[in-house]
């Protein structure tokens, strides 16, 4: 397990990416199953994680976020950037110039962000992200990962969640019929992930604006120690039951329904932590 907290440290001299990208090394992959990246503004989810292919078989990630704002609308801000090689474990802070230079030089090595990618494993089973809702309205916990066997039958549905260090308030759009001050509070954030297949029946998931990169196997298992502590794969059936329960309890008040959904999901996560 590799967990990065607070700040990235420069652990290699020169370019971290250049040293990790010289010759084929992976697979076999080492026992690295995830990272919790430093996240200076967790509530705004602005980390902008971007993955890149390498000749070594590793996956390089860059990430940039708004660090400090000197104006109320954050039109004037400082940038913080970093680079990470997932399996090599090399990481370092990047200046804005270094970040821009790397992304330009490696533009053709970027891994496409495909949220609905289907990954097919060596035994013919598959993993795909499903669900979602469009439009400019709040939609609690809309996506999940679907595992199917060789015959195409669903054997598991899991919703990825991340336990926030600080609850975040999300204002509801008045144009959708909510009051001007209507809001919901999330203590557990849904993860809207992209999938990266690996060559050993495992795969990576990450959010472009999140702070977790997680490796999973074909059965949606992981050896990342933060699973069931800060990162959760909860049965989507539980989420569905929570939504039904909240709808019945809210008597048509949609804002109340959404708030109740978030409370019940948080209670479910707390139960998983205690177990």
């Amino acid at each position: 397990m590799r967990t990065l907290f607070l700040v990235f440290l420069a652990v290699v001299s020169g370019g971290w990416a250049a040293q990790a990208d010289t010759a084929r090394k992976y697979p076999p992959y080492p026992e690295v199953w995830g990272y919790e990246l430093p996240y200076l503004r967790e509530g705004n989810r602005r980390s902008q994680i971007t993955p890149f292919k390498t000749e070594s078989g590793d996956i390089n990630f860059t990430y940039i976020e708004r660090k400090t704002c000197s104006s109320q609308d954050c039109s004037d801000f400082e940038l913080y950037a970093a680079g990470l090689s997932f399996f090599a474990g090399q990481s370092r802070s990047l200046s804005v110039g270094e970040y821009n230079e790397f992304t330009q030089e490696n533009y053709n090595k970027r891994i496409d962000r495909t949220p609905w990618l289907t990954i097919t494993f060596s035994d013919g089973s598959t993993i795909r992200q499903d669900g979602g809702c469009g439009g400019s309205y709040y939609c609690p916990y809309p996506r999940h990962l679907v595992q199917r066997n060789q015959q195409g039958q669903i054997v598991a549905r899991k919703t990825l969640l991340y336990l926030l260090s600080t609850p975040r308030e999300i204002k509801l759009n008045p144009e959708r019929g909510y009051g001007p001050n209507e809001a919901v509070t999330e203590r557990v954030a849904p993860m809207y992930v992209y999938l990266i297949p690996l060559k050993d029946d495992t795969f990576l998931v990450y959010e472009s604006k999140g702070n977790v990169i997680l490796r999973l196997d074909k059965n949606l298992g992981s050896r990342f120690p933060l699973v069931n502590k800060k990162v959760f794969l909860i049965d989507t059936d539980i989420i569905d039951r929570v939504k039904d329960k909240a709808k019945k309890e809210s008597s048509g008040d949609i804002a109340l329904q959404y708030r109740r959904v978030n409370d019940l999901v948080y209670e479910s996560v707390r139960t998983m932590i205690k177990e």
Side-chain angles (χ1 to χ4, degrees):
M1 185 273 289
R2 311 291 177 88
T3 305
L4 308 182
F5 295 102
L6 300 180
V7 294
F8 273 124
L9 300 178
V11 297
V12 292
S13 60
W16 60 275
Q19 293 192 26
D21 196 24
T22 54
R24 174 63 58 174
K25 293 176 62 177
Y26 312 107
Y29 301 108
E31 287 294 310
V32 180
W33 287 88
Y35 294 84
E36 183 184 37
L37 304 179
Y39 210 97
L40 303 184
R41 296 191 60 185
E42 181 181 83
N44 289 335
R45 301 167 64 81
R46 299 179 185 271
S47 55
Q48 300 180 27
I49 298 172
T50 304
F52 297 83
K53 296 179 292 186
T54 73
E55 296 300 325
S56 70
D58 207 339
I59 307 294
N60 286 338
F61 290 90
T62 60
Y63 116 35
I64 189 168
E65 71 175 357
R66 293 183 176 181
K67 183 180 181 183
T68 57
C69 298
S70 57
S71 60
Q72 187 172 0
D73 64 358
C74 211
S75 58
D76 183 15
F77 56 87
E78 296 180 17
L79 292 177
Y80 173 91
L84 166 70
S85 297
F86 187 88
F87 288 109
Q90 297 174 344
S91 61
R92 60 162 291 186
S93 299
L94 301 173
S95 68
V96 173
E98 289 172 325
Y99 170 83
N100 290 335
E101 181 180 2
F102 175 83
T103 55
Q104 290 170 9
E105 290 181 352
N106 292 275
Y107 181 84
N108 293 330
K109 295 181 180 179
R110 289 187 309 171
I111 298 173
D112 290 338
R113 291 174 175 171
T114 307
W116 312 122
L117 175 69
T118 297
I119 298 177
T120 302
F121 300 104
S122 59
D123 63 358
S125 64
T126 63
I127 294 286
R128 177 181 169 87
Q129 185 169 224
D130 204 352
C133 56
S136 58
Y137 59 93
Y138 181 71
C139 184
Y141 310 101
R143 297 184 186 177
H144 54 272
L145 297 178
V146 179
Q147 177 192 0
R148 294 179 184 269
N149 62 20
Q150 298 92 324
Q151 291 74 41
Q153 300 166 324
I154 294 176
V155 295
R157 297 189 308 144
K158 297 285 186 178
T159 298
L160 275 164
L161 304 173
Y162 177 73
L163 180 63
L164 298 171
S165 300
T166 304
R168 66 184 183 196
E169 183 178 85
I170 300 176
K171 294 187 180 299
L172 299 177
N173 189 345
E175 295 180 1
R176 306 296 303 189
Y178 304 111
N181 298 315
E182 293 268 33
V184 298
T185 299
E186 285 186 347
R187 286 172 286 185
V188 182
M191 293 177 63
Y192 305 138
V193 298
Y194 298 100
L195 282 58
I196 302 175
L198 300 173
K199 296 182 181 300
D200 68 340
D201 282 351
T202 67
F203 62 103
L204 304 183
V205 298
Y206 74 98
E207 294 184 279
S208 64
K209 295 183 179 181
N211 62 315
V212 170
I213 306 171
L214 179 65
R215 182 180 172 199
L216 296 168
D217 62 30
K218 64 181 181 179
N219 295 313
L220 297 176
S222 178
R223 301 187 188 104
F224 187 39
L226 292 187
V227 169
N228 290 339
K229 295 180 180 178
K230 294 194 73 173
V231 180
F232 301 86
L233 289 98
I234 189 170
D235 286 339
T236 304
D237 288 346
I238 294 175
I239 301 294
D240 291 341
R241 290 196 294 269
V242 159
K243 290 180 179 180
D244 290 341
K245 179 180 175 65
K247 184 176 182 179
K248 292 176 182 177
E249 294 177 349
S250 61
S251 301
D253 185 331
I254 302 301
L256 175 61
Q257 175 183 329
Y258 289 162
R259 287 193 286 269
R260 188 65 181 137
V261 168
N262 281 291
D263 289 343
L264 291 171
V265 169
Y266 179 62
E267 290 175 13
S268 297
V269 164
R270 283 176 55 86
T271 299
M272 293 177 71
I273 294 173
K274 291 177 182 178
E275 292 176 351

